Each structure stands twice: as structure tokens, then as C-alpha cells.
Amino acid sequence: MKKINLPSEVYDVISKLHRANFNAYIVGGCIRDILLNRKPKDWDITTNAKPEEIIQLFPDSIYENSWGTVRVKTESEDPSLKIIEVTTFRKEGKYTDKRHPDTITFASTLEEDLSRRDFTINAIALDIKNQKYIFIDPFLGKEDIRKKIIRTVGDPDKRFQEDALRLMRAVRFACELNFQIEPRTLQAISRNAHLLRFIAKERIRDEFIKIINTPEAARGILLLQKTNLLHEFIPELEEGIGVTQNKHHIYTVWEHSWRALDYAAKKNYNLAIRLAALFHDIGKPRTKQGEGKESTFYGHEIVGTKMTAAILHRLKFPKQFTDKVIKLVRHHYFVYDPEITTDSSVRRLIMKVGKENIFDLAKLREADRIGSGCPKAVPFRLRHFLFRVEKILQEMSGAQPSLKMLAVNGNDVMKILNIPPGPKVGIILNILLGEVLEDLSKNNKEYLQQRIKELGKLPLLELQKFSHKAEKKYRQLLLQEEEKIKKKYHV
Ligand code: ATP
Ligand code: MG
């Protein structure tokens, strides 16, 4: 028997329902997660109490839909426990639009409620009456969890026809849990994939994001393709199937794309990098010229950027996020040569991709390389690029030592010494910077004003000598900074 640690918040809600003579069970994803030793994302309770009765028992609750779900607030700090959803037993009505049941009817038994749930692994309830824990598992979900199988409750064709979002959910759970989809369920997904067109794009997007955010993202993409689901919402990706590339590539465009995604997912890179990895070469099939070893793909990154924008727009991704992904796709093809590439061209690339995205662009390059079958993700060239980027970013941010960091400026020098603008002003400031770099505590107004007075008395020639020394010191410091960054990237 499994030892179960129920959070006290969940226990309290159940007890309160029991004391009021209602039946109440913990149900759904949280039971599945407990059995898998995963931390549940949220806790659901199902009961024969009607919504009005639940609200009466829990005055601090919200009932905002007509689905029979009451959201009970708790005192917990844990985000997964702040709200516990209590839902009246339901049976599912008829679905004429393949989206929502036409009516919600309450069921009278737990078994009926479990039978409307999507997959066997999500249709297990836990009864905690009389201090004993009993699983109620009429569809043998525990067995499927043990076998790591996704299987619909009841006839798969019927269940997918009722609600086509379940098609995406099946693949999502297969990826999140690293399970296999049972053959009959899998065949039914392929047969019913076309029904996905009845589902709101936002809901498809949310499941798609969950798939891409798992370490199994690439398997997810292959599964979506195999089941015809990908064809329904990103048909553009399928254009790369069977499209061979030139002598620099061993994989087709399609295989290269999912392999790049696989690397980004296994490295736990962010969603934007993962999607950029999947889409970066999506423009290749439409730009391919010639055949075999000599084929070319001129402008594929531009065509690919447009296609990526269209896809993300269609799936209703937020604009800011889309902008980031398309910048990565647009510039994934950047060329960098430590000997030839100038600082200003690196600076231009940073400005075009955005300071906040430039390191993600390098990660995309890693994914691109590994997805091409290269053995090494970060070769010398890419490390050198990272070093140059970091050095230039430091320059751009003004974090480097400069006259600007002094607590006094040229005006102070002119005023204190009562001299007009001229070389002497800069020379004195240089000397001050040298002293401050030596000892940062000297960077205060009183001290520096005093020093200006003293230095003002010295002849120009002597000042120049001091200034040269200070400049040398300053240059040395810059070099030291550069060495530090070089060391960081082993270049
Ligand atoms: P997670 O919260 O980890 O994403 P979950 O299984 O808890 O996964 P939810 O969307 O929170 O998924 O739904 C809770 C439960 O409601 C599910 O476990 C399942 O029993 C049921 N359910 C959710 N969506 C559907 C659906 N489209 N069709 C049938 N049952 C569903
Ligand atoms: Mg859940």
C-alpha cells in the first residue's frame, strides 16, 4: 500500500464535506501524480454536493462558471494549494460543436463522473473515509500508470469526437509523463485528427506549449506528425519532410529541425529558443534551388521568418514573444570569424537581435549545430563570438572605467582653477581617474576638489607625465577585464 501524504488543506475540505454528510473524493491529475511520485500542480475534489451547497460550506469560495466547479480558497502559501477546486459529480452532455457539452448534467454517482474523464490515468479517485485510503479505479488507471500507457476511458473514437482537445492532451501527457499511447487510442487520434479544426487556437497553443516545454519535445513533434495532428495546426513544418540538403548536411530539413529542438529541450533552454530551433529552417523547402550536393537555400532565413510569424500569429502567441522568436529565426544564420568580423558588425548584430536575445541566439546556434550532426555544440568560434559579445556589451553598458565615473567633471576643474576649456582640463581629469582606479574610496567630491587645487599648481609638463601614467594604468585595467572574459569562454 502506498504511503500518501495529503496536504492538510485538502484533508480539511474533504472532512468538512463529510461532516455535512456529503460524499467527497480526491480525483483527476493529482491522484495520477501521487501514484507517479510527482508533485501535483493542483488538487481537485469531486462531490455529490451541489454548487449551492458547496458555497454554503465554504463562504470564502468563488463560483463563476456554469460547470459545477467551486473554487475554494485556502490559507496555504503553496501555489498548488491556494485554490482547491471542488466540482459536483458530472456526466457529460452531448457535444454538437466538438468543443463544449451542450448542457452540464450532474451525475449521481462517482463512477459516472469518472467515466466522463479523458484518460484512464486521469479517472482514478481516492476515498479517505474512516482514516483509510481507498482508490476507486473502475477503468484500471493504476494498471495503465504502471505500464506507462495513455488510454482513453471507453471508446476512443467516441471520446475524441466529443472533445477534440483530448487529441492534443493525449500527446501532451505522453510527453510530460514519458508514456506511450496505447495502439487503439493512437489509431483513433490519427483517424480523428481533422477534428482539431473545431478547437480554439488558444487551447491548441496551450497544449502545444506544454509539449514543447517537456524534455520529450522532439518525440512530441514526431508523434504529432505521425498522428496527422501537426498537419492540422502547423502544416508548414511537414514541407521539410524528405527535403535533402547540400554537402554540409546529413539530415533532411525535417529531421534537422526536430533534432535541433531535441537539443534545446534536453538542455532545458527557454520556449523561445526551442521554437526558434524547430522553425529556424522552415523556409528552406520553399527556397531550395538545385538538387543533391550542390543545392542552395538563399534567403531561407527571410522566408522562414515570415512563415514563423504567420504560424505564431495564427496560434495567437503574444506579440512580444513572437517578436523574440522571429528575431532569432531571422538572424540564426549569422556569420562570425574571429579574424575577420569587426567589432562594429558584432555591435550591429546585437542591435538587430536585441541585447536581451543575443545569448539566446548563440544557444540557437548550438542547437543548429547539434541538429546537423556536429559533435560539438560550442566550438572555439562560437566561444570567441560569446567573448566578443560580452566585451562589446560591457562597452555599450558603460560599466567600464571611464571619466564618466568620476565624482567631478570638467566644469568643476575649470571653475576651481578658473581656467578656460583646454587640454589641461582633460589631463587633470585623467590623473584623477588614475588615482580613483587605484583606490575607489578617493572618488568623493571633497577629496577630488582638493586634488584639483593641488594639481592646478603643477607645471603642464609634469601634469602630462602623470596623465600618461594614469592612461597606461587605465589601459591595463581594460586588458585585465578582457582577459577575464576570455578566460570565461576559454579563448
Ligand atoms: P495537469 O493539471 O497536470 O495539467 P490534469 O490531469 O490535472 O493535468 P486538468 O486539465 O487540470 O488536467 O484537468 C483535471 C482533470 O479533469 C483531468 O485529470 C481529467 O480527469 C479531467 N479533464 C480535464 N480535461 C478534460 C477533457 N478535455 N476531457 C475529459 N476530462 C478532462
Ligand atoms: Mg490539474
Side-chain angles (χ1 to χ4, degrees):
M1 185 71 198
K2 197 173 172 65
K3 175 135 177 40
I4 299 169
N5 286 322
L6 278 191
S8 60
E9 291 83 357
V10 177
Y11 193 84
D12 291 347
V13 173
I14 296 264
S15 306
K16 206 162 182 183
L17 284 159
H18 283 171
R19 281 199 301 274
N21 281 323
F22 293 112
N23 297 330
Y25 309 87
I26 311 171
V27 73
C30 56
I31 299 299
R32 174 200 70 218
D33 290 339
I34 288 174
L35 290 167
L36 284 164
N37 295 319
R38 294 163 67 101
K39 185 180 182 318
K41 274 196 265 171
D42 41 46
W43 293 80
D44 296 313
I45 289 170
T46 185
T47 174
N48 63 347
K50 294 287 176 310
E52 320 75 77
E53 296 169 321
I54 305 170
I55 297 165
Q56 260 186 7
L57 283 177
F58 303 95
D60 198 13
S61 61
I62 325 156
Y63 183 53
E64 55 197 11
N65 59 22
S66 48
W67 298 75
T69 299
V70 177
R71 294 159 59 82
V72 175
K73 284 191 198 157
T74 73
E75 306 271 285
S76 177
E77 292 294 310
D78 182 338
S80 70
L81 286 164
K82 277 189 162 48
I83 298 270
I84 294 174
E85 296 208 334
V86 183
T87 307
T88 308
F89 292 159
R90 272 165 44 187
K91 53 178 147 205
E92 215 99 274
K94 213 171 130 258
Y95 289 71
T96 35
D97 65 354
K98 315 224 168 12
R99 280 181 242 208
H100 322 103
D102 301 344
T103 50
I104 292 290
T105 352
F106 295 128
S108 47
T109 64
L110 172 67
E111 280 70 15
E112 213 174 340
D113 179 273
L114 292 177
S115 73
R116 62 130 181 128
R117 294 174 183 270
D118 48 6
F119 304 109
T120 58
I121 59 168
N122 291 342
I124 309 169
L126 181 67
D127 188 0
I128 56 171
K129 232 176 195 146
N130 307 328
Q131 307 296 324
K132 266 200 264 162
Y133 292 161
I134 298 162
F135 287 103
I136 297 151
D137 181 19
F139 304 103
L140 308 183
K142 271 168 80 178
E143 181 69 5
D144 283 345
I145 289 178
R146 201 181 55 73
K147 293 199 279 202
K148 294 175 172 280
I149 280 178
I150 312 286
R151 181 200 313 268
T152 53
V153 171
D155 175 36
D157 286 293
K158 214 170 112 210
R159 302 314 309 279
F160 291 130
Q161 283 154 19
E162 278 170 4
D163 177 3
L165 188 69
R166 292 170 187 158
L167 298 159
M168 290 294 290
R169 283 172 62 89
V171 177
R172 191 251 287 187
F173 287 123
C175 293
E176 275 186 345
L177 307 174
N178 208 352
F179 277 27
Q180 301 297 322
I181 301 176
E182 173 269 333
R184 274 186 63 229
T185 301
L186 192 65
Q187 285 157 16
I189 296 176
S190 301
R191 265 198 302 275
N192 294 287
H194 62 280
L195 298 177
L196 207 58
R197 67 190 64 156
F198 294 103
I199 299 297
K201 293 290 185 285
E202 292 86 340
R203 300 179 73 203
I204 297 177
R205 174 201 62 203
D206 289 346
E207 294 299 323
F208 178 59
I209 290 174
K210 287 182 181 169
I211 293 168
I212 297 297
N213 270 337
T214 68
E216 294 291 300
R219 184 166 76 92
I221 287 294
L222 289 170
L223 203 49
L224 288 171
Q225 198 280 322
K226 195 172 104 181
T227 51
N228 309 326
L229 288 167
L230 191 65
H231 186 74
E232 290 301 319
F233 70 101
I234 317 181
E236 296 92 334
L237 269 176
E238 292 190 317
E239 293 173 22
I241 295 176
V243 176
T244 55
Q245 310 196 58
N246 56 30
K247 51 181 177 273
H248 304 296
H249 293 268
I250 50 175
Y251 299 126
T252 62
V253 173
W254 164 249
E255 186 164 359
H256 168 60
S257 304
W258 63 255
R259 282 180 180 274
L261 167 64
D262 188 46
Y263 174 84
K266 295 283 167 18
K267 288 291 262 191
N268 201 17
Y269 287 163
N270 65 43
L271 182 64
I273 301 174
R274 292 178 193 216
L275 288 179
L278 181 62
F279 293 142
H280 74 284
D281 275 350
I282 201 165
K284 276 192 166 175
R286 296 188 190 180
T287 52
K288 182 170 177 177
Q289 298 208 339
E291 265 311 317
K293 288 185 163 57
E294 302 306 323
S295 49
T296 61
F297 301 93
Y298 292 121
H300 78 273
E301 70 278 18
I302 311 223
V303 172
T305 302
K306 287 197 184 127
M307 292 170 73
T308 303
I311 292 165
L312 296 182
H313 180 72
R314 188 168 72 222
L315 291 176
K316 305 213 185 315
F317 276 86
K319 178 162 181 335
Q320 216 188 346
F321 177 82
T322 301
D323 284 348
K324 170 163 182 157
V325 178
I326 63 180
K327 274 184 191 157
L328 294 176
V329 172
R330 173 66 184 79
H331 299 289
H332 80 268
Y333 208 49
F334 72 93
V335 178
Y336 179 76
D337 184 327
E339 306 286 322
I340 297 169
T341 310
T342 60
D343 273 7
S344 64
S345 79
V346 176
R347 209 174 297 120
R348 271 199 305 275
L349 179 65
I350 294 175
M351 294 315 286
K352 282 190 282 193
V353 184
K355 286 181 194 168
E356 67 288 5
N357 300 324
I358 190 72
F359 289 105
D360 287 352
L361 186 71
K363 289 178 176 154
L364 174 60
R365 171 59 57 89
E366 293 172 24
D368 193 356
R369 289 178 51 85
I370 295 296
S372 304
C374 297
K376 219 170 170 178
V378 197
F380 173 78
R381 230 174 232 248
L382 189 53
R383 279 184 280 122
H384 200 277
F385 172 73
L386 289 167
F387 146 67
R388 286 284 282 289
V389 165
E390 191 157 326
K391 192 184 88 161
I392 289 168
L393 280 179
Q394 219 172 59
E395 281 165 23
M396 287 164 82
S397 73
Q400 281 182 331
S402 80
L403 293 181
K404 274 183 256 157
M405 68 187 270
L406 285 177
V408 293
N409 59 27
N411 279 334
D412 296 315
V413 178
M414 292 187 282
K415 231 191 279 162
I416 292 170
L417 299 181
N418 197 18
I419 53 170
K424 193 168 177 182
V425 180
I427 286 172
I428 289 182
L429 286 175
N430 258 343
I431 298 171
L432 295 181
L433 180 63
E435 292 188 14
V436 164
L437 290 176
E438 199 91 41
D439 179 358
L440 283 176
S441 75
K442 289 183 174 167
N443 196 13
N444 69 77
K445 245 188 155 118
E446 293 86 83
Y447 173 80
L448 293 177
Q449 284 168 341
Q450 183 56 37
R451 279 300 286 155
I452 292 171
K453 279 181 206 154
E454 289 166 17
L455 290 170
K457 291 181 195 141
L458 300 178
L460 192 61
L461 220 64
E462 197 156 339
L463 287 178
Q464 267 167 344
K465 242 175 32 202
F466 285 142
S467 167
H468 282 317
K469 251 202 203 148
E471 263 178 34
K472 223 168 118 186
K473 165 108 204 125
Y474 165 70
R475 255 187 253 119
Q476 223 175 15
L477 265 172
L478 280 187
L479 271 177
Q480 272 173 16
E481 273 306 306
E482 189 169 316
E483 280 309 311
K484 259 194 239 160
I485 308 174
K486 275 190 167 167
K487 234 188 184 149
K488 177 169 164 191
Y489 294 108
H490 309 285
V491 292

